[in-house]
Amino acid sequence: MEFKKRINLYLNDEVILNIYEVKGVDTFYCFGNDHFNDDTLIQKKRGYYILHFGWSS
């Protein structure tokens, strides 16, 4: 709950222009043969933020 609160406070300091979901990227061949992730790209005036969730053995 604390993470959700803090990320919302940080991201709401300016207008979010767009949000993109990048799901199920299998990076088997470029991250040590054991990585899989979902990313959320958040576009704001100052640039992009990447919220990254993934697993690696």
Side-chain angles (χ1 to χ4, degrees):
M1 296 304 290
E2 185 65 22
F3 173 76
K4 285 173 61 175
K5 179 179 124 185
R6 288 182 181 270
I7 197 75
N8 277 315
L9 286 172
Y10 181 76
L11 291 175
N12 287 327
D13 68 343
E14 71 173 84
V15 176
I16 294 174
L17 301 175
N18 222 330
I19 295 177
Y20 306 93
E21 251 186 308
V22 182
K23 296 179 82 173
V25 176
D26 186 352
T27 54
F28 180 82
Y29 294 107
C30 58
F31 279 107
N33 301 333
D34 68 347
H35 192 82
F36 192 87
N37 63 275
D38 291 342
D39 294 315
T40 302
L41 295 116
I42 301 163
Q43 181 184 9
K44 300 182 98 177
K45 287 182 183 180
R46 290 182 285 187
Y48 288 85
Y49 296 89
I50 300 171
L51 189 58
H52 172 79
F53 295 99
W55 65 263
S56 176
S57 63

